[in-house]
Amino acid sequence: MLELTDVVAGYGSTVIVQGISLTVGRGECAALVGPNGHGKTTLLRAISGLLKVRSGTIAFDGTDITRVKAEKIVEHGLIHMPQGDLVFPDMTVEENLILGAFTRSAAKRARERIDEVYEIFPRLHERRTQRARTLSGGERRMLAIGRGLMGDARLIMIDEPSLGLAPVIVDEVYHQIQRIVKSGMTVLLVEENIHRAQSLAHDIHLIENGVIVRSGSGSDLLDERAIRETYLGVAE
Ligand SMILES: Nc1ncnc2c1ncn2[C@@H]1O[C@H](COP(=O)(O)OP(=O)(O)OP(=O)(O)O)[C@@H](O)[C@H]1O
Ligand SMILES: [Mg+2]
């Protein structure tokens, strides 16, 4: 469903993503795992059209989207949920959700979608009239994910849903993402913790210095001592 071939991207004269190829099949969840500053977010930005691709190609559902503008890519149903909680603090939970249905076709289905989002995130329903600024960190994360689901999403890219949250809240957010995956949505997840990634993802791609250094299932990768040492910090 999503196919990257030798994608190169960066900022100014700096090349960050140095030739990445990967495929995410329909209904699958794949994860990009890697240390800080190695190009995970940059790759998502290149896929969603927020950053120019210097070379290589990106195809989504058979359509070449390499040079397509970000607004159009969203209309294709490829939704990027950015790192950090980009919600509108002075708007209510429900107003924030409605903003996620900004394309014409999504707007028509906003009422029905909002009920689906409330079903996945009952806490958002409880707090629907509350301003986003008064939400807890975990609830804001749920709101940011819920807003992404309000579009005509066919593939969602979630950038570090666990960042800065207490472990118990991370469990809750992951449980909800699991439901989204089980519903048949295609997901590309960025996660720093390989165990968390493994709990959701079919394929894990390890990124270092802007290239994929290994790909495989979580258990395959965790069977390797060098990977355990690097990613879990366990010396054996
Ligand atoms: N707008 C920008 N302009 C210039 N350099 C940038 C910009 N955004 C990111 N970078 C640099 O690109 C590199 C990769 O950043 P990126 O955000 O892709 O890393 P990441 O793997 O997502 O890290 P993290 O796990 O911390 O989110 C870093 O060295 C960063 O400083
Ligand atoms: Mg990042």
Side-chain angles (χ1 to χ4, degrees):
M1 177 160 212
L2 179 69
E3 191 165 2
L4 275 59
T5 312
D6 285 330
V7 171
V8 174
Y11 307 96
S13 57
T14 318
V15 175
I16 304 287
V17 171
Q18 326 221 18
I20 285 191
S21 301
L22 68 89
T23 304
V24 187
R26 187 184 307 277
E28 286 176 6
C29 174
L32 302 168
V33 175
N36 294 125
H38 283 243
K40 305 180 298 295
T41 296
T42 304
L43 180 62
L44 295 197
R45 290 172 54 87
I47 296 170
S48 58
L50 297 169
L51 189 66
K52 209 170 141 212
V53 174
R54 300 206 179 164
S55 62
T57 56
I58 302 173
F60 181 55
D61 231 4
T63 305
D64 183 345
I65 57 161
T66 318
R67 314 251 170 257
V68 175
K69 289 206 174 94
E71 311 88 81
K72 291 282 174 210
I73 291 178
V74 169
E75 285 176 15
H76 281 289
L78 205 171
I79 309 287
H80 180 176
M81 299 168 189
Q83 190 168 350
D85 307 310
L86 299 180
V87 297
F88 294 95
D90 289 319
M91 292 187 166
T92 65
V93 165
E94 188 145 312
E95 286 163 350
N96 267 281
L97 288 175
I98 286 167
L99 283 177
F102 58 86
T103 62
R104 210 179 302 161
S105 63
K108 280 195 207 134
R109 304 192 52 194
R111 257 336 318 166
E112 171 188 335
R113 290 259 166 76
I114 230 166
D115 291 338
E116 289 166 17
V117 169
Y118 286 151
E119 205 175 300
I120 298 170
F121 301 105
R123 280 228 238 166
L124 295 182
H125 184 250
E126 283 164 29
R127 289 162 174 69
R128 63 192 178 279
T129 59
Q130 217 170 297
R131 280 174 203 269
R133 72 162 73 250
T134 65
L135 298 177
S136 72
E139 290 161 356
R140 266 204 298 277
R141 190 68 40 89
M142 293 172 201
L143 178 55
I145 297 172
R147 195 178 50 188
L149 293 175
M150 291 295 294
D152 292 317
R154 293 195 298 138
L155 185 153
I156 56 175
M157 302 195 290
I158 315 180
D159 197 349
E160 298 213 37
S162 59
L163 191 72
L165 299 181
V168 53
I169 308 296
V170 176
D171 287 345
E172 195 180 334
V173 171
Y174 261 76
H175 177 72
Q176 287 148 343
I177 297 174
Q178 182 93 60
R179 284 190 57 183
I180 296 168
V181 173
K182 286 215 172 109
S183 77
M185 182 68 77
T186 310
V187 178
L188 179 59
L189 173 78
V190 167
E191 174 57 61
E192 234 165 58
N193 181 312
I194 196 167
H195 275 312
R196 293 248 182 241
Q198 184 194 16
S199 70
L200 286 179
H202 178 268
D203 289 317
I204 293 182
H205 306 282
L206 300 181
I207 292 202
E208 285 175 24
N209 296 311
V211 294
I212 292 179
V213 291
R214 278 300 308 275
S215 297
S217 72
S219 49
D220 283 352
L221 298 179
L222 286 168
D223 274 347
E224 288 183 32
R225 180 177 166 177
I227 291 175
R228 280 201 303 279
E229 285 180 6
T230 309
Y231 287 88
L232 301 174
V234 276
E236 295 165 63

